[in-house]
Amino acid sequence: MVQKESESILRPNWQDVRFGNIFPKAGTATRYKTGDWRSERPIVDREKCNKCGLCWLYCPDGAMEILEDGYYEPDLYHCKGCGICANICAKKAITMREEGA
Amino acid sequence: MSKRVPLEGSFAAAEAARMADVDVIAAYPITPQSHIIERLADFVANGELNAAYIPVESEHSAMSACWGASGAGARTFTATASQGFFLMHEVLYFVAGMRLPVVMTVANRAVGPPTNIWGDHSDAMSARDTGWIQIFAANNQEIFDFVLSCFRFCEDPRVLLPAMVHLDGFTLSHVVEPVILPEQEEVNRFLPKYQHPYVYDTDKPMSYGIVMSPDTYAEVKKAQDITLRESKEVILQAWKEFGDIFGRYYSPIEGYRSQGAKTLLMSTGALSETAKVAIDRKRDRGEDVGLLTLHLWRPFPFQELYEALKDAETLIVFDRSISLGGPGGPIISEVKSALFDRRRDIKFAGLVGALCGRNPSVEQFEEIIDRGREIAEKGSSEVLETIGIRG
């Protein structure tokens, strides 16, 4: 009825997805890799960063992580490279670098 | 004992929701359905119905609130019409796709422009492909009976789909007719408690409405289509049990003096009641005609249509909505398409009329049958034939 959590998630038959829009677990979006959508990645300059946390607050995907030393780094498995963090940073400590450049 | 009381169609709908003991009503007023939700607001305010009544700021919010309430395990009801119905259009797909048994009455009204408030089926037809079960009532008793029975089959674990009961604006919504109201105990016997297998529960979190890729979307849509088609058997079963308890039996296509008739008129909604008188007059004059009233619009009753047409040679479909630039009205084109598969021998005519409350008289229904027969015999140069329109 509800999708079984197995290989069949990726290529189910219609009989397996009668309640196809319901998935029997919560928080499953974290397993969905969106990092490969990115064309640019944020680079944090620790010399300029004052650990204010604006990038963490504004990231629409919750992809900015707080490190133990209080600095911030993008979670590149999920970061889509939108650049909001770089745009909002008051200290201009984040720059976007083209992937593969 | 059941009792026979005078009720306008709107109040019949509200009584059915009250006797079904709905838990949540989320609605926004619009003519000609407002009496339905006003009556329900009275019931809640007077303590005659223990339900949460959510007055929202738009129909989009009304249907969104119904979605949340139904998913949380509440028996949920709403009503709308015309432009308001359009405003909830996006959410209609979600409620069906999320497999939620919301029941809604639509007091059918024409669609602007021109700005209007009067009845036809243009609003209903816009929701044809939303995945809802759709039923047309022809009188106030049917409004009560269909709303009540909808809760039964919509909440059945084999179905879990929403349904809309269409009732003609003003012609039914504002007209008083005798309606037989059952005993609460009989209703309770017919209607078990609503239980959704995947109810929203913070102790058992799940993901609802997840993103689906090109690899999975089509399978989910096919499953939804099969579920809606298969719901017909459950509807038939529920109507059989309804009849056994309440003494009134319903079918997807109701025949009136149609047995063995060579010419059949098909109509939908309240106008069928007028058409019946036209059929009587023609029968009195020895004409071999009968009437089919289409009650179940979705899932479309293909099998019942073929059975109803067993002995027919000519079929005239009368449609209360216009498909601009298309092959007629939606019912005309779907019935014609069904005939193409199985009954190409039937002579066919489709006529569009009765738009925006211009309800045909008995005499005009006789003309509809005569003109339909003429088109069916001789053909027509028009793709879309209208009747009762000047010029």
Side-chain angles (χ1 to χ4, degrees):
Chain A
M1 300 293 270
V2 171
Q3 285 186 55
K4 292 185 189 72
E5 195 180 4
S6 67
E7 277 303 302
S8 70
I9 290 172
L10 294 176
R11 299 184 62 77
N13 293 329
W14 70 262
Q15 291 88 345
D16 303 323
V17 286
R18 283 286 182 128
F19 282 85
N21 234 233
I22 301 174
F23 191 78
K25 275 199 157 191
T28 49
T30 55
R31 296 190 317 209
Y32 189 40
K33 186 177 186 181
T34 50
D36 54 5
W37 302 7
R38 195 174 55 238
S39 60
E40 293 182 326
R41 70 169 63 192
I43 305 293
V44 181
D45 181 350
R46 293 193 171 205
E47 296 291 313
K48 293 180 183 170
C49 174
N50 66 352
K51 304 180 183 175
C52 73
L54 275 179
C55 56
W56 172 83
L57 191 62
Y58 275 80
C59 176
D61 281 307
M64 220 16 127
E65 292 180 329
I66 310 175
L67 305 183
E68 276 184 17
D69 58 9
Y71 286 103
Y72 294 85
E73 284 293 341
D75 154 20
L76 293 174
Y77 188 84
H78 295 112
C79 171
K80 296 170 187 164
C82 71
I84 286 175
C85 55
N87 197 270
I88 204 69
C89 179
K91 294 291 178 183
K92 301 199 184 310
I94 302 176
T95 49
M96 300 302 291
R97 182 191 295 162
E98 198 177 327
E99 290 288 356
Chain B
M1 277 293 288
S2 57
K3 56 184 176 198
R4 194 162 181 263
V5 294
L7 278 183
E8 66 169 52
S10 298
F11 295 168
E15 283 290 345
R18 183 186 65 79
M19 297 199 86
D21 193 23
V22 295
D23 301 307
V24 174
I25 299 143
Y28 190 85
I30 184 168
T31 300
Q33 77 77 8
S34 300
H35 288 187
I36 301 172
I37 62 161
E38 286 169 3
R39 179 51 73 102
L40 282 164
D42 284 346
F43 287 150
V44 173
N46 297 340
E48 294 169 74
L49 172 63
N50 181 17
Y53 192 98
I54 312 174
V56 286
E57 83 290 359
S58 76
E59 284 83 355
H60 192 282
S61 297
M63 190 45 68
S64 299
C66 288
W67 169 359
S70 185
R75 182 169 286 162
T76 305
F77 180 83
T78 188
T80 192
S82 189
Q83 317 297 141
F85 188 49
F86 285 7
L87 192 48
M88 58 170 64
H89 195 75
E90 173 187 29
V91 195
L92 294 177
Y93 284 83
F94 279 87
V95 170
M98 303 298 286
R99 305 284 308 272
L100 297 172
V102 173
V103 176
M104 170 163 74
T105 43
V106 184
N108 299 126
R109 167 182 142 183
V111 172
T115 299
N116 72 86
I117 54 167
W118 294 276
D120 71 28
H121 293 160
S122 306
D123 55 358
M125 293 305 157
S126 74
R128 192 187 65 172
D129 299 335
T130 53
W132 284 55
I133 292 168
Q134 298 194 51
I135 297 167
F136 281 88
N139 57 51
N140 292 358
Q141 184 69 59
E142 287 180 5
I143 295 171
F144 180 89
D145 293 349
F146 288 161
V147 170
L148 195 61
S149 56
C150 276
F151 286 109
R152 167 66 185 267
F153 52 72
C154 289
E155 294 171 4
D156 187 292
R158 295 166 288 176
V159 178
L160 290 168
L161 289 172
M164 43 187 94
V165 175
H166 295 291
L167 54 121
D168 294 79
F170 295 106
T171 312
L172 293 181
S173 67
H174 287 59
V175 169
V176 176
E177 289 182 340
V179 175
I180 298 164
L181 293 182
E183 283 295 312
Q184 187 64 51
E185 181 275 324
E186 292 173 310
V187 173
N188 297 348
R189 195 143 48 88
F190 176 67
L191 204 55
K193 195 173 156 2
Y194 164 46
Q195 281 181 309
H196 198 285
Y198 306 110
V199 72
Y200 300 164
D201 181 353
T202 48
D203 291 331
K204 278 184 260 167
M206 295 192 195
S207 301
Y208 298 85
I210 51 178
V211 173
M212 294 214 139
S213 68
D215 253 349
T216 42
Y217 178 93
E219 280 69 25
V220 171
K221 278 295 167 197
K222 175 159 174 140
Q224 200 183 338
D225 174 64
I226 300 280
T227 305
L228 180 56
R229 284 175 201 280
E230 289 177 350
S231 75
K232 197 186 78 183
E233 286 311 311
V234 185
I235 295 169
L236 295 179
Q237 205 179 322
W239 277 346
K240 166 79 171 61
E241 285 179 43
F242 185 95
D244 291 345
I245 294 177
F246 302 106
R248 293 179 298 279
Y249 292 87
Y250 292 106
S251 54
I253 298 173
E254 178 196 315
Y256 179 74
R257 304 185 80 166
S258 59
Q259 284 291 359
K262 295 284 178 258
T263 299
L264 289 171
L265 170 69
M266 179 183 266
S267 165
T268 313
L271 297 188
S272 278
E273 304 275 298
T274 316
K276 281 177 185 173
V277 185
I279 295 290
D280 286 344
R281 288 193 187 172
K282 284 192 167 294
R283 282 280 185 184
D284 288 347
R285 288 199 296 269
E287 292 184 43
D288 188 11
V289 293
L291 177 73
L292 301 177
T293 299
L294 181 69
H295 284 313
L296 186 64
W297 172 230
R298 281 293 183 275
F300 190 85
F302 291 97
Q303 201 52 44
E304 288 76 4
L305 177 70
Y306 298 133
E307 279 164 27
L309 295 176
K310 200 159 33 73
D311 303 317
E313 291 170 4
T314 303
L315 176 65
I316 304 153
V317 176
F318 181 65
D319 220 331
R320 284 203 87 167
S321 74
I322 190 163
S323 173
L324 300 173
I331 299 176
I332 291 169
S333 63
E334 292 211 3
V335 171
K336 203 172 177 180
S337 146
L339 296 184
F340 188 83
D341 289 340
R342 293 271 290 269
R343 289 295 305 272
R344 289 193 208 183
D345 59 305
I346 286 192
K347 292 177 200 142
F348 183 85
L351 288 157
V352 172
L355 300 180
C356 193
R358 193 185 291 182
N359 294 2
S361 61
V362 173
E363 291 74 20
Q364 284 166 330
F365 259 110
E366 292 181 63
E367 285 168 31
I368 287 166
I369 296 167
D370 294 339
R371 176 73 186 125
R373 251 191 315 224
E374 193 177 50
I375 296 166
E377 284 296 329
K378 297 179 187 158
S380 164
S381 58
E382 302 290 330
V383 177
L384 193 161
E385 281 278 353
T386 56
I387 192 148
I389 297 176
R390 290 183 300 276

